[in-house]
Amino acid sequence: MVRWTTNTLDSLGIDAKLLSADAEVEQIVVVGLALDFCVRQSVSDAVKVREALGKQWDIVVVREGVKSVDPDQKQLVTEDLQAQGVRFLGVQDLLPP
C-alpha cells in the first residue's frame, strides 16, 4: 500500500518514484479533506499520470472519506472527476466480501 500525504502527486514527483511504467499498481484509493481543492488536484494528477503511462488504474474516491470546503462545489467536482474516469465508492463497497 502506498500512502500519499500531499496535496498533489506531482509536488513530490510521485509519478516518477512510485508510479513508474513498470510499477504494479492496480488501484488508487483516495481520501482527504477538501474534495474541491486538494483531493480534486491529486486525483486529476493521478489521471494524467495514468494516461501518460497508458495504464488502466482504477482510481477511486471514497465518498465518506472526502468533504468539500464549499458544499455547493461537491456535485460539480464529483461530476468532473467521474468524467475523467474516476469512481466514487462507499467504504462498504471497498471491503472484502
Side-chain angles (χ1 to χ4, degrees):
M1 174 186 286
V2 176
R3 292 186 181 153
W4 296 309
T5 56
T6 181
N7 288 354
T8 66
L9 298 170
D10 189 55
S11 69
L12 288 180
I14 297 285
D15 55 328
K17 294 177 186 172
L18 298 175
L19 301 180
S20 64
D22 59 342
E24 295 184 26
V25 174
E26 294 179 14
Q27 185 177 59
I28 297 172
V29 178
V30 181
V31 297
L33 187 58
L35 172 66
D36 41 344
F37 294 100
C38 306
V39 173
R40 181 184 208 171
Q41 188 62 52
S42 294
V43 171
S44 291
D45 285 350
V47 169
K48 290 175 190 170
V49 173
R50 176 179 69 185
E51 291 172 358
L53 295 176
K55 296 293 186 173
Q56 299 296 316
W57 301 327
D58 180 26
I59 302 174
V60 175
V61 175
V62 181
R63 283 191 302 263
E64 298 91 343
V66 296
K67 184 169 181 155
S68 291
V69 173
D70 179 355
D72 294 334
Q73 291 295 308
K74 181 179 180 182
Q75 186 65 32
L76 176 70
V77 172
T78 299
E79 290 172 359
D80 175 52
L81 293 176
Q82 287 174 325
Q84 295 179 54
V86 175
R87 297 188 307 147
F88 280 72
L89 297 176
V91 171
Q92 291 299 318
D93 299 321
L94 294 168
L95 296 175

